[in-house]
Amino acid sequence: MGILSNSLAAGVGVSVRNTQFKSEAGVLPRKLLVIGTIDAAKTGIPLEVPRLVLSPEEADADLGAGYMLSRLIRAAFTGARNRIPIYYMAQAEAGGAASAAGSFAFTGTTTAAGSIYARVAGKLYTIPAAVGMTAAQAATALKAAIDADPPAPVTGVVATGTLNVAAKSKGLWGNGISLSVNAHPELGEALPAGLACTVTAMAAGAGVPSISTALAALGTGSGANGDGFTALVHGYMQDQTTITAVADYVGRGNDAVALYDNLVGRPFRCLSGDVASGSAGLTALTTLSALNKTDRANGILAVPGSLSHPAEIAAQALAAMEAENNALAEAGYTDLILDGVDPGPVSARWTQEFASRDLAVKSGIGTTMVKNGAVVLQNVVTFYRPDSVPVGSNAYRSMRNLSIIQNLLAAKRANYEGEKWKRFTVVRDTKNVTDSASRARARDISCVVDDELALIKSFAGRGWIYDPEFSIASLKKAGAVQVRGDGAGFVSTVAYILSGEGGKMVSVAVVGSW
């Protein structure tokens, strides 16, 4: 019962209470959410409920190996390398959805031994071919190789020398599955003499589930994104309805709305992928971005000509970004390697040219490069670039900046939800409160200023802001901290300049000779 002020018995009491007295920012723990469809036969999985997944193997068993959601989770684990928790939300396939289909059509008979080098979504299947292998045998052997790989995203049927394949998951997803033979001749890939193959690309996949229902299941109003997910990736490709739904849920523009609302303060970021080749691919992306200039949630990452699935590229990249920011909120992503992502042919890579990359980033498109045969990240950006916001003030443009903003919001919320700010009393000057118990709960403007100053120093100490003096000057301005009109609390407005995302260096060597 404790020793109270009216206790009569002698005794000694001792205890400890863990209370936050210092306003200090901690790095926000990252949580990645993957949304996609599953094998319809997996009836025991609740739909549109966030669930933690512990391994790709668990995802294969529970959701269906080779199906959209399981493959996205596998890609996310590759990027995260077990450094962040990964959650999923399963959705049913859209009503009337159709599977994409394509084919490998073999002709001829081998006149020399060799190998068949076929790829599905960038995954290489090497089929030994002896002299005399027929087209029908080649198609059957390729089907067997794909069937023996449960995570493969397609199933196949052989008909007179042709392997007809269909995506396991219905919808636009399947159109992103690449089929190829001899994709990398520079690695020695070539069909045996006498055998030929015509590849028909995957097409006719149709149907996209409503991501709006999944987002609504994460919470609405002041309870939106109640689980605090910091990033989201999905398998619905560049579907504009999906992009719009995510942008609206997070909150468009430059205002405190949706997840940026001051009663929520839990925004997340979202990334999609693209593999379209050459200048036409860049043009298509700039067109897409131009439709979404007020979108501070979504971004798209280009790996031109890659045989890897674009949504899986995005899942791996975003997971890698989240893992970096789990340690350092301000960490950038330049030269982060995307393990196993196919680089595509050199001729397709418009991202190798600085001028093209610069145009892409200015147009709201994330870029990659290929270095030593590996795909690496460069700038990863959002679509956000409204005409009303100067480029130098566009903090929402950079995905890295979004990480810092998430941390600033989380730090402020944690501070003002701490013990110091529970059940407090608003007064003009705490010095006027002489009763010790009452003074412990009394707060005035100077108390807010003290906490904001401590937060500024903490943000600067972590490298989140460029200049603490700028923010301190903002805090000193008249009206920066005010008592609410109803006297029920305080309103503080502090300006920050985020630290810069490094990556551009100009070094000039001045030389001469005698």
Side-chain angles (χ1 to χ4, degrees):
M1 58 177 272
I3 301 174
L4 306 178
S5 59
N6 61 348
S7 296
L8 299 179
V12 175
V14 60
S15 66
V16 62
R17 183 171 61 178
N18 188 9
T19 301
Q20 175 184 329
F21 294 107
K22 185 177 180 182
S23 301
E24 186 172 6
V27 178
L28 176 66
R30 315 302 293 186
K31 293 176 69 175
L32 173 64
L33 177 65
V34 185
I35 297 179
T37 62
I38 63 174
D39 181 355
K42 302 293 184 178
T43 56
I45 299 299
L47 299 180
E48 295 174 348
V49 176
R51 302 187 71 179
L52 178 67
V53 60
L54 300 179
S55 70
E57 292 74 22
E58 177 187 335
D60 284 349
D62 291 350
L63 309 175
Y67 284 77
M68 178 199 298
L69 187 53
S70 182
R71 285 185 61 93
L72 287 172
I73 290 170
R74 182 174 293 275
F77 268 95
T78 300
R81 298 180 182 177
N82 294 319
R83 292 177 290 173
I84 59 167
I86 296 173
Y87 294 76
Y88 70 81
M89 183 178 274
Q91 288 198 280
E93 292 173 334
S99 290
S103 65
F104 296 90
F106 293 94
T107 56
T109 300
T110 59
T111 58
S115 295
I116 299 169
Y117 301 94
R119 295 176 186 262
V120 177
K123 170 71 177 291
L124 176 63
Y125 297 92
T126 304
I127 315 298
V131 175
M133 173 182 270
T134 65
Q137 289 172 330
T140 300
L142 178 55
K143 170 181 164 52
I146 294 172
D147 289 347
D149 179 27
V154 298
T155 58
V157 176
V158 175
T160 60
T162 296
L163 175 60
N164 295 302
V165 298
K168 289 179 178 177
S169 288
K170 297 178 181 179
L172 293 180
W173 156 269
N175 298 336
I177 301 170
S178 65
L179 307 178
S180 60
V181 170
N182 300 342
H184 288 287
E186 74 279 9
L187 300 179
E189 296 181 12
L191 285 171
L195 190 67
C197 183
T198 300
V199 175
T200 300
M202 299 287 284
V208 177
S210 171
I211 202 170
S212 294
T213 59
L215 296 174
L218 294 178
T220 58
S222 59
N225 192 22
D227 288 328
F229 294 108
T230 54
L232 180 147
V233 69
H234 57 76
Y236 306 147
M237 310 294 279
Q238 297 173 20
D239 173 59
Q240 185 60 56
T241 300
T242 300
I243 291 172
T244 297
V246 172
D248 288 343
Y249 186 79
V250 173
R252 291 179 178 275
N254 198 30
D255 300 316
V257 295
L259 300 188
Y260 281 94
D261 184 279
N262 55 24
L263 291 177
V264 184
R266 295 182 291 267
F268 58 68
R269 53 191 183 178
C270 182
L271 192 63
S272 301
D274 185 82
V275 296
S277 299
S279 59
L282 176 55
T283 299
L285 288 178
T286 57
T287 300
L288 174 66
S289 181
L291 297 174
N292 297 281
K293 284 188 173 184
T294 62
D295 184 346
R296 54 183 166 177
N298 290 290
I300 196 157
L301 184 69
V303 187
S306 176
L307 299 176
S308 298
H309 196 290
E312 293 171 16
I313 293 173
Q316 183 183 155
L318 191 53
M321 291 157 54
E322 287 287 281
E324 290 295 305
N325 294 139
N326 201 48
L328 292 173
E330 75 281 9
Y333 320 117
T334 301
D335 286 351
L336 277 182
I337 295 174
L338 299 182
D339 291 337
V341 170
D342 181 81
V346 174
S347 60
R349 299 177 202 153
W350 57 260
T351 53
Q352 293 300 105
E353 296 296 327
F354 176 82
S356 295
R357 291 199 311 278
D358 191 47
L359 172 61
V361 175
K362 289 176 179 176
S363 301
I365 300 159
T367 59
T368 59
M369 290 184 68
V370 176
K371 296 184 177 181
N372 299 318
V375 177
V376 298
L377 296 181
Q378 293 294 286
N379 300 86
V380 188
V381 297
T382 69
F383 293 136
Y384 189 81
R385 50 190 179 94
D387 298 332
S388 59
V389 178
V391 173
S393 299
N394 185 358
Y396 297 128
R397 176 181 59 196
S398 165
M399 285 276 185
R400 174 264 191 186
N401 284 358
L402 292 188
S403 169
I404 294 178
I405 291 169
Q406 289 171 323
N407 276 268
L408 295 179
L409 294 174
K412 291 221 173 194
R413 176 176 288 279
N415 182 77
Y416 292 111
E417 287 181 348
E419 183 66 24
K420 178 179 177 180
W421 294 97
K422 289 181 178 177
R423 301 182 302 281
F424 65 91
T425 302
V426 179
V427 298
R428 180 178 178 278
D429 189 339
T430 57
K431 294 177 182 177
N432 296 327
V433 183
T434 56
D435 178 80
S436 59
S438 297
R439 186 166 183 172
R441 290 294 177 184
R443 302 290 180 266
D444 59 17
I445 285 178
S446 68
C447 296
V448 181
V449 171
D450 288 345
D451 276 21
E452 292 289 351
L453 181 60
L455 286 170
I456 290 169
K457 292 180 178 178
S458 182
F459 297 161
R462 288 189 175 274
W464 297 353
I465 60 176
Y466 177 72
D467 180 13
E469 295 304 321
F470 174 84
S471 299
I472 292 171
S474 168
L475 183 60
K476 289 180 178 178
K477 289 181 179 179
V481 181
Q482 301 180 46
V483 177
R484 281 173 49 96
D486 58 3
F490 303 93
V491 177
S492 64
T493 305
V494 183
Y496 303 97
I497 299 176
L498 302 185
S499 56
E501 183 176 6
K504 292 177 281 293
M505 290 290 297
V506 178
S507 179
V508 179
V510 180
V511 300
S513 61
W514 294 99

